[in-house]
Amino acid sequence: MKLPGHDAIARQADEHLVTHRVKLPRKVVERPIRQVVRRLVMALAVLVATAFIVYADHEGYNDNADGSVDLLDAFYYATVTLSTTGYGDITPVSDGARLTNIFLITPLRVLFLIILVGTTLEVLTERTREEWRLNRWRSVLRDHTVVVGFGTKGRSAIQTVCATGLKKEQVVVVDPSSKAIDAATAEGFAGVIGDATRSDVLKRAEVHKARQIIVAPQRDDTAVLVTLTARQLNRGAKIVAAVREEENAPLLRQSGADAVITSSGAAGRLLGLSVLSPAAGMVMEDLIQQGSGLDLIERPVVRGEVGKTPRETDDLVVSVVRGHRVLGYDDPAVGTLELTDRLITIVRATPGNQVTPDTRPLPHG
């Protein structure tokens, strides 16, 4: 077992001990500074338009200082009027000027205030709106998929499960890197920034309500700690973990993983198969890539197949899942198919092909 000592694990935890938070996917919007600048430009445009409207009818206004209204006085009047200051030193005296104030200046004053107040309210309510979104997201999130690690393995795993029909709203990514979470949210997934070996971080991902958990960090020791923590929080979830070294796989299973994939070993076996038979290697790569060519899927037995042998079904059956045993299609123990069996078959990839989740509880002590 090639795992670092306790001190190394503690150091790794300290490195990732950052303020963890949840980030939900959002629509592409302008940057805050751009929004503020754009609204300031709009406010200045309203101010300039108002000043020129006043100057165009300057003979209908009276200035208490000198009696006449020039362009500077027009801008001054527009400023104090739109800001609702209204000193009263410049006033409309003609009927035309007063009608202009009623039908033009007053609506422009309201528009000016909406622009400025709207910007302020948007800034003040952003945090409240985000908190509301988070609370609503937590309340409706059920039976989702938690993916720990948004590296190459995590991304590929998400692409595979989404290719079978899983909605992006049902995927939560956990990663200590803010850049990785930004990439995840940009693709439409919810993200949690933090160290997944900590229970409070996994709780923010609602792991206790998750249906399946994919553990794909960069280090094997992290995978062990994440699996242990996740299994403590959720006894019934299906946990699939990836490790680099094959000798660490038994430890992952002891930690609570239902399936362990050795990334380096699997890649090596695929390389060896490709050397012996390039065509066979291409077929295997096609099978594990959902949504194109041939797909390897799991589905329940339909009533019309009950009592038949695996060879008598319309699909190409590879294995039969009976209880917690996986039997080969030619295993004498299979006999005929039962309604509670599940079939692992090879089919032509179509949008309707989906891996139907196994709803039976998993045996964990």
Side-chain angles (χ1 to χ4, degrees):
M1 172 65 191
K2 295 182 179 179
L3 292 178
H6 177 76
D7 293 340
I9 297 176
R11 284 197 302 271
Q12 183 193 13
D14 290 339
E15 290 174 358
H16 298 315
L17 188 57
V18 296
T19 302
H20 46 269
R21 55 194 176 94
V22 179
K23 297 188 67 175
L24 299 181
R26 62 176 61 188
K27 296 180 180 179
V28 178
V29 296
E30 291 181 301
R31 294 180 178 179
I33 187 64
R34 289 185 179 179
Q35 294 186 29
V36 173
V37 170
R38 180 170 58 86
R39 295 191 182 193
L40 286 176
V41 171
M42 292 173 60
L44 289 175
V46 172
L47 177 64
V48 172
T50 304
F52 278 106
I53 290 173
V54 173
Y55 183 71
D57 191 26
H58 63 278
E59 294 181 355
Y61 291 81
N62 179 59
D63 186 355
N64 294 336
D66 54 11
S68 63
V69 176
D70 56 16
L71 184 60
L72 178 60
D73 293 332
F75 271 95
Y76 168 74
Y77 177 78
T79 302
V80 298
T81 300
L82 293 181
S83 63
T84 68
T85 304
Y87 292 115
D89 48 352
I90 300 178
T91 57
V93 293
S94 69
D95 292 341
R98 290 177 177 178
L99 287 174
T100 301
N101 266 262
I102 293 174
F103 294 108
L104 289 178
I105 305 300
T106 299
L108 288 173
R109 180 190 299 120
V110 174
L111 177 61
F112 185 83
L113 292 176
I114 288 176
I115 292 173
L116 296 185
V117 175
T119 302
T120 303
L121 289 177
E122 183 173 354
V123 173
L124 292 177
T125 59
E126 180 64 28
R127 183 179 296 273
T128 302
R129 183 165 58 245
E130 191 66 20
E131 285 294 327
W132 181 83
R133 288 186 68 208
L134 286 175
N135 291 334
R136 184 177 180 276
W137 172 74
R138 290 192 178 101
S139 64
V140 301
L141 195 62
R142 294 286 189 283
D143 295 333
H144 58 290
T145 299
V146 176
V147 180
V148 178
F150 199 63
T152 303
K153 292 179 290 187
R155 288 172 183 265
S156 299
I158 292 177
Q159 291 173 0
T160 300
V161 295
C162 287
T164 63
L166 184 68
K167 297 180 179 179
K168 290 185 176 181
E169 294 81 5
Q170 287 294 104
V171 177
V172 181
V173 177
V174 182
D175 198 286
S177 170
S178 59
K179 292 183 178 179
I181 296 301
D182 289 340
T185 55
E187 295 184 22
F189 307 111
V192 178
I193 304 174
D195 181 7
T197 62
R198 299 172 57 87
S199 59
D200 53 345
V201 174
L202 290 181
K203 286 179 181 178
R204 286 182 174 269
E206 302 295 312
V207 75
H208 53 286
K209 297 186 293 186
R211 180 178 186 81
Q212 49 200 12
I213 303 168
I214 299 174
V215 182
Q218 298 295 326
R219 298 165 57 101
D220 287 4
D221 58 323
T222 303
V224 173
L225 293 176
V226 171
T227 303
L228 279 169
T229 307
R231 182 54 73 196
Q232 286 182 341
L233 296 175
N234 192 330
R235 292 289 181 180
K238 182 181 295 183
I239 299 180
V240 179
V243 291
R244 292 178 177 273
E245 302 296 334
E246 195 162 357
E247 61 188 42
N248 294 333
L251 184 58
L252 262 297
R253 294 189 180 91
Q254 293 175 13
S255 301
D258 299 291
V260 180
I261 306 300
T262 307
S263 56
S264 57
R269 284 188 286 271
L270 187 57
L271 285 172
L273 179 61
S274 299
V275 168
L276 297 175
S277 173
M282 292 176 58
V283 171
M284 285 300 301
E285 189 173 2
D286 181 26
L287 287 175
I288 62 178
Q289 184 176 357
Q290 288 289 129
S292 63
L294 298 176
D295 278 353
L296 191 65
I297 69 168
E298 180 181 342
R299 66 170 180 83
V301 171
V302 298
R303 291 190 178 276
E305 295 171 334
V306 176
K308 296 182 178 179
T309 64
R311 294 179 181 271
E312 293 175 337
T313 62
D314 294 334
D315 293 339
L316 180 58
V317 177
V318 177
S319 299
V320 177
V321 182
R322 178 167 295 169
H324 296 290
R325 295 185 301 164
V326 180
L327 306 174
Y329 72 94
D330 57 348
D331 194 319
V334 173
T336 58
L337 298 177
E338 303 174 1
L339 190 59
T340 55
D341 290 340
R342 298 177 65 84
L343 302 180
I344 298 177
T345 66
I346 297 176
V347 298
R348 176 63 58 182
T350 63
N353 289 342
Q354 295 186 8
V355 178
T356 306
D358 193 343
T359 57
R360 292 169 297 182
L362 298 170
H364 294 292

